[in-house]
Every structure is written in C-alpha cells, then in structure tokens.
Amino acid sequence: MYILQQTLFSFEELMELELKERLHLFFSNLSLEPYTVKLRSRLPQGAKGFRRDAILRALLAAPLVGISTFTGLVDRLKSDIRFRYQCGFGVGSVPSIATFSRVFQKITTLNLAEELFLALVKECREKGVISGEVIAIDSTAINAYEQKQARHKSKNTGNGDWGAKKDSFGNTVTWFGYKLHLAVDTESELPIAFEVTPANVNDGDLGPVLIEKVSSSVPENEKPKFYVMDAGYDQLKNYEAAHKNSAQAIIPLNLRNEKEPPAGMTSNGTPVCSMGYEMVYWGADKNILKFRCPHILGKVDCPFGSAWCSASNYGLVKKVNIKEDLRRYSSPHRNTRKWEELYDQRTAVERVNSRLKVHLTANRLHVWGIKKVKTHLLLNMIVLLVGALACKQSLQKAA
C-alpha cells in the first residue's frame, strides 16, 4: 500500500489530477503573504482594486495549467469561473494584460521569484523532501521569444545568443536564446540552485558557480557528498570546486581533453604493475586510494608470480593520493560499480528539465531580456517545488 501511495502522487500524476484538485493541493502548500506585501506598495496606476496575492497566485497557476502568455491567462480567468475563484478573484472583472505585465515586471525588479524559490528549497529541506547528498548538474536550451539576430549583433549583449549542443545521437543542435543551468537533488528530482545565461556560455564554466551556490546554502554537516556531471564538465576547476567543498565530482573523462596519463597509470587513474597489468582497486581511506596486485587476487596469471614485485603474501600495494590529480583520481575510484551507480543518477537533472519543458512552460517564453526570462523560469521551478510539497502532504494524509 505504501508503494502504491508513492507512485500515486508523482509529479506527472499530480498533473493528471482534475484541475480543481490540482490547484487545491498546490495553493494549500503556498504561502505568499511575505511577497505580496512587497507588491502592494506603489503599484502602477491601474492595478488598484485587485488583490496582489490573487495576481501572484494566477501567475504561478499559469504554468501549472499550461498557460504561457498574459493574454492566455486573462482569457482563462474570464472564461473559467472555478479557475478565477481558486486564484483568488471574486465576481466581476479580472486584471488586464497590462496589469499582469506590470506586476511581472515588479516581481522581476524586486527579485521576488528567486526569494520565493530559495524559501521553498529551504522548506523542502526542512520537511525532508530534499536530501541533498547527491547533486546532478546540467544545462538545457531555452528558445528566445525575441527576434533572432546575427552572431556579431547578439554577442556580449547579455541577452539571447546562439548556442550549440550535441543531442543524444551526436548531432549538433543550434538555437537562439538562453541556457538554464540547474543543480538538482537526485533523490527528490528537485532544483536547488540555478543560473540563467545566454546560450553561448560554456556549461563547464557554470559548474563551480552552482557548486558554490549549493554548498553555501546549507550547514557544514548537510553539504552534498557528490556532484554528478557529464563529460562536458570535465575541467579541472569543477573537480577543484567540489573538493574545496568536501565533495567528490563524478564526471566521465572527456577523451578530447585527454593527454598521456602519468607513467605507470592508465587514463582512469589505475596504477599498473611492472608487468603492465592494471592493479585492483581495494578501497579508499579519505583521500588515499589503495590498489593491490592483480595476480594475488586472481585477476591475471602473471608469469613471474607475485614474488617478483613483493615478498609479502599480501602482494604489492600501491597507494594514490587524490590531491595529486583531482581530475584523474576519484573516490570511489573511477568506473567502479559505485562510481557508475552515482553517475547513473545524473539522469535526474534530465527528468527535471523534461518536466519544466514538457509538463510546464519553461521553453515557451513570452517575455524577452534575460532578467524577465529568469523570472519566467523561476515561476516554473517554483511549481515543481510546491508540487513536491503538495505530494508529500497527500502521502501523509493517505498514510
């Protein structure tokens, strides 16, 4: 029964609930008073008479029901009485498109969406929704709403630009717009830190930024143990950023960046014995990796036996300090079962990107300029966090 309850309230199935149930669950886990207070002061002429919490609720409900424009939101409020009441508007008129646009601008100017996002991440941690032990980092393409420009015109504007990435088939895909860089808790599959950049920014350059954001937001004893990234992040600075924050970066080696390994080592950091056989990984003690004779352990049949290298029955032992080469050496050792299991968790960030773009409206921009794009994306990420809190509440009630 418990397993059934776990699957019953996944985010995907939450989206399949009747709209009245979905919005009720969503709004019951969302306290907006601290943010609407800031919206009440000096709102532009024309917004008077509409509850600020209702306007903000409507802006958050929009991605939840697949609405990506202010025009679509106003039309829905006018045509759907139940939706209008659940957002907090009573009988009568609803805010105009211009009013929603002005409030959206003020949310952007005051950075209220990011403030709400960070508060929800903290709440998810406190309620045990986010564990934060393993963090997956990756970026996703966001197509711009503004008109495409030639590269020489879009370069260094800080807004939309041209980007290129390899798809799962190895084909190069280009787009004009932005990148959403996410750090995701792999257990809960929730975003906990982010950056929005023009599309031409290299993924690897944002790794240290996201690691620092995640690490600085939690107490020392709650810091992540692993940061999982794909081969595009195989740069020394990402390993150094993780190590600086008492964590291990789990990143495949990018063979295009590979040079000759040190003498007596394979590319993945495994020592070789004097006969050229790879030694066997035998565990780690903090920063020290231990490797043993492959002949003694029955992995190879060395013509000289083990006595040639060591007089001990235990066989030759080599130890490697991870600090000697943070990129090549890893704990757990690169390509071991434990390392592979950790790397497999990287797919969590891909699923988050899919939910943001398929179930919600992250890739259907109706605003331009990186600051407004950031607010649009934040509203979508907030929906994921509130949705997770709603799922937890439902599970507790069903238990």
Side-chain angles (χ1 to χ4, degrees):
M1 185 65 182
Y2 180 73
I3 294 174
L4 288 175
Q5 289 173 355
Q6 287 277 43
T7 59
L8 178 62
F9 293 104
S10 68
F11 180 78
E12 286 77 4
E13 290 179 327
L14 175 69
M15 296 297 289
E16 293 176 3
L17 291 176
E18 289 288 335
L19 180 60
K20 62 178 181 179
E21 297 177 66
R22 192 191 321 163
L23 287 175
H24 174 72
L25 276 174
F26 184 79
F27 287 134
S28 66
N29 286 272
L30 189 60
S31 175
L32 297 176
E33 181 60 25
Y35 313 98
T36 54
V37 165
K38 297 177 182 180
L39 288 174
R40 289 190 189 116
S41 60
R42 297 187 301 277
L43 267 174
Q45 190 70 27
K48 187 176 180 181
F50 294 110
R51 290 171 48 190
R52 312 309 185 246
D53 62 327
I55 294 174
L56 187 51
R57 281 159 70 98
L59 287 170
L60 287 167
L64 189 65
V65 297
I67 298 171
S68 60
T69 67
F70 300 139
T71 301
L73 181 55
V74 170
D75 289 344
R76 181 63 174 268
L77 288 167
K78 288 179 178 178
S79 63
D80 189 334
I81 296 174
R82 176 175 287 161
F83 180 71
R84 183 163 73 239
Y85 271 84
Q86 286 187 301
C87 288
F89 299 107
V91 179
S93 62
V94 299
S96 66
I97 295 169
T99 296
F100 274 113
S101 180
R102 287 194 294 265
V103 173
F104 186 92
Q105 176 62 59
K106 186 152 191 179
I107 291 169
T108 301
T109 302
L110 296 177
N111 211 19
L112 291 185
E114 184 165 8
E115 190 178 327
L116 176 56
F117 171 81
L118 294 174
L120 287 167
V121 170
K122 183 179 179 182
E123 183 179 353
C124 285
R125 285 185 181 278
E126 291 170 349
K127 292 186 175 179
V129 176
I130 290 176
S131 68
E133 181 172 317
V134 182
I135 305 299
I137 292 175
D138 201 1
S139 75
T140 190
I142 303 295
N143 293 300
Y145 179 66
E146 57 260 42
Q147 187 175 0
K148 296 176 182 177
Q149 299 181 47
R151 290 182 186 274
H152 70 277
K153 289 185 177 180
S154 60
K155 189 176 181 181
N156 299 325
T157 64
N159 292 316
D161 207 333
W162 288 97
K165 289 187 82 169
K166 296 285 187 181
D167 65 15
S168 56
F169 301 102
N171 302 311
T172 300
V173 178
T174 61
W175 76 99
F176 182 78
Y178 303 88
K179 277 184 181 178
L180 172 61
H181 305 262
L182 280 182
V184 168
D185 171 44
T186 62
E187 185 174 328
S188 64
E189 296 185 357
L190 290 173
I192 57 177
F194 74 97
E195 283 288 333
V196 180
T197 68
N200 63 326
V201 173
N202 183 271
D203 288 357
D205 291 341
L206 271 294
V209 177
L210 291 171
I211 290 171
E212 193 58 41
K213 275 193 168 187
V214 173
S215 184
S216 63
S217 67
V218 293
E220 190 70 31
N221 62 338
E222 295 180 20
K223 287 188 176 183
K225 295 180 180 178
F226 301 99
Y227 289 93
V228 187
M229 295 164 260
D230 65 27
Y233 293 84
D234 181 28
Q235 301 173 26
L236 181 59
K237 58 189 173 187
N238 289 310
Y239 298 93
E240 290 176 336
H243 187 76
K244 174 187 172 185
N245 288 286
S246 305
Q248 174 65 56
I250 304 295
I251 308 172
L253 290 173
N254 188 338
L255 297 181
R256 291 178 298 177
N257 299 336
E258 185 63 3
K259 300 177 182 178
E260 283 295 316
M265 287 282 172
T266 65
S267 291
N268 72 352
T270 303
V272 295
C273 68
S274 53
M275 280 297 292
Y277 295 119
E278 286 191 25
M279 299 187 71
V280 179
Y281 175 60
W282 207 249
D285 181 13
K286 296 182 178 179
N287 289 321
I288 306 299
L289 307 180
K290 179 179 176 181
F291 299 86
R292 289 184 61 191
C293 170
H295 178 81
I296 283 286
L297 296 172
K299 301 296 183 181
V300 300
D301 185 13
C302 179
F304 294 99
S306 63
W308 192 40
C309 298
S310 173
S312 168
N313 291 334
Y314 194 74
L316 176 67
V317 174
K318 286 190 177 181
K319 295 182 179 180
V320 174
N321 191 326
I322 291 173
K323 293 182 180 179
E324 294 175 10
D325 189 339
L326 291 174
R327 175 177 173 265
R328 193 173 305 279
Y329 305 135
S330 171
S331 178
H333 184 47
R334 191 183 294 280
N335 301 131
T336 59
R337 180 181 295 180
K338 176 63 174 175
W339 190 96
E340 296 286 355
E341 287 174 352
L342 285 165
Y343 184 68
D344 286 345
Q345 294 185 46
R346 194 191 67 83
T347 56
V349 69
E350 294 176 351
R351 286 190 287 275
V352 172
N353 286 331
S354 176
R355 288 174 188 134
L356 287 168
K357 296 167 81 170
V358 176
H359 290 282
L360 303 175
T361 65
N363 202 30
R364 286 185 271 158
L365 294 181
H366 62 100
V367 293
W368 56 83
I370 196 164
K371 291 182 179 180
K372 288 186 177 180
V373 168
K374 177 181 174 182
T375 298
H376 173 88
L377 294 172
L378 274 163
L379 294 177
N380 279 265
M381 289 188 283
I382 287 167
V383 169
L384 287 183
L385 293 166
V386 178
L389 291 168
C391 290
K392 182 175 179 64
Q393 182 189 70
S394 296
L395 283 170
Q396 290 173 337
K397 288 182 178 180

